[in-house]
Amino acid sequence: MTDRICVAQIIGSHGVHGRLRVKSFTADPEAVFDYNPLTDEAGARSFTLRMTGMGKDHFLVEATGVKGRDAADALKGVKLFVPRDRLPGLEDEDEFYHADLIGMETVTEGPEGDAAFGTIKAIHDFGAGDVLELVHVSGKTVFIPFSRACVPLVNVKAGRVVVDPPVNLFTPARPDPEELAEMGGKLSLDDEPADEAPEGEQPEGQETGESR
């Protein structure tokens, strides 16, 4: 387990005076301000945050040492951490911090036992719920919803994460009508199998070698 936990991320700037847009990852979003000061991932830089407003899914904050739009823009994407011992203890084995999952191996369950699936690389929230980013055993990067249906078991202490990925995870997406129109209304030969003529008949437009 990591000794430092990511509790927030700077997602951008706001205005010209150096304010930041910060997304909180704590169970109670406003609790992130109770853990001041926060540090970057390397622990090299410290930030004390003061909330000045709220956005749809983030806070507007002033941070010590951040002055001006350029300085704020340069911090976009920076994750903010606190030492684990400053956070509340986890009382239930089903509870965990997202940071504890990074690097864990995942498996799928089947009649012949477990099968390796991939390694958890990151956890994202793109606005429709948490999503796991994994490096699949094939080497491909895949994303699956971090839901009970797709991740039925997480046991950090036992080092076990079971996934049940969507059945179409590796199925290439077919274009929707608008995309098809942009493509000229045609699919490639690889996308659309050619119609086969019934046995004994020649495809339309093709003649046999016999004279008529």
Side-chain angles (χ1 to χ4, degrees), residues 29-81:
E30 290 192 30
V32 69
F33 299 102
D34 296 335
Y35 300 117
N36 277 319
L38 312 180
T39 67
D40 61 9
E41 188 169 7
R45 188 169 182 182
S46 177
F47 302 90
T48 296
L49 307 182
R50 184 178 73 85
M51 181 173 63
T52 62
M54 297 182 64
K56 181 179 179 180
D57 60 352
H58 60 272
F59 296 108
L60 305 179
V61 308
E62 292 178 347
T64 53
V66 181
K67 303 294 183 183
R69 180 66 177 263
D70 290 344
D73 284 341
L75 294 173
K76 182 178 180 179
V78 171
K79 294 180 178 180
L80 303 174
F81 293 77

Side-chain angles (χ1 to χ4, degrees), residues 101 120 122-124 130-134 142-146 151 163:
L101 302 184
I120 299 174
I123 302 174
H124 305 283
D130 290 338
V131 175
L132 288 185
E133 178 183 352
L134 302 102
V142 297
F143 297 85
I144 65 173
F146 194 10
V151 189
V163 297

Side-chain angles (χ1 to χ4, degrees), residues 2 10 29 38 56 63 104 116 124 135-136 143 146 154 168 173 205 211:
T2 179
I10 299 171
L38 312 180
K56 181 179 179 180
M104 288 190 67
H124 305 283
V135 179
H136 186 253
F143 297 85
F146 194 10
V154 175
N168 62 345
S211 61

